Amino acid sequence: MNMVNPQAENGCIFLSRSILDSKVFRNEKWLKVWIWCLLKANHKKRSLSVRTGKGETVIEIKRGQFVYGRKSASRELEMPPSTIRNIIALLARWGNLTIKPDSHYSIITILNYDTYQDINTYRRTGKR
């Protein structure tokens, strides 16, 4: 019998309570985009086929990275592309992520992804 939790079927992320004290928590749009970035980031390295002009190319996306496009992000987040662009730029200035642009797509890398998304970061050691 398969006992997979339906809510966890697509994976999950860790979200630290320290986010309550972060700059990103001050604005609901900033928070929405930041959590979306965490959810979009790959949890392991994989190859991905992306459209480039008239053809396709295979790129390698590492743990903590994802392919980003303003138009698709706009549809997913139900926000104007310019708003998303501005928030992503803000998150980059704050050191939350980096953006590597290409003529057809961009790759976003979540900085410190392994720290945020490693269970050992959140395990209690018994020490207070």
Side-chain angles (χ1 to χ4, degrees), residues 24-83:
V24 77
F25 196 75
R26 296 179 193 164
N27 179 290
E28 63 192 33
K29 289 180 182 178
W30 299 347
L31 181 62
K32 182 178 183 178
V33 173
W34 175 238
I35 291 174
W36 177 81
C37 288
L38 292 174
L39 290 167
K40 295 294 284 184
N42 287 326
H43 71 281
K44 63 181 179 180
K45 182 171 64 171
R46 70 183 187 127
S47 296
L48 183 67
S49 180
V50 293
R51 253 187 254 192
T52 55
K54 295 181 181 180
E56 287 192 7
T57 188
V58 175
I59 59 173
E60 186 177 280
I61 304 295
K62 298 175 185 166
R63 176 175 163 81
Q65 294 182 326
F66 66 98
V67 175
Y68 162 75
R70 279 194 319 259
K71 290 178 185 175
S72 60
S74 174
R75 285 189 301 275
E76 289 181 36
L77 291 164
E78 298 180 353
M79 299 167 86
S82 60
T83 299

Side-chain angles (χ1 to χ4, degrees), residues 1-31:
M1 176 187 285
N2 188 353
M3 300 295 287
V4 173
N5 180 341
Q7 288 80 19
E9 208 169 272
N10 293 325
C12 61
I13 61 168
F14 296 108
L15 191 60
S16 171
R17 286 186 178 95
S18 65
I19 199 167
L20 293 169
D21 300 322
S22 70
K23 291 178 188 178
V24 77
F25 196 75
R26 296 179 193 164
N27 179 290
E28 63 192 33
K29 289 180 182 178
W30 299 347
L31 181 62

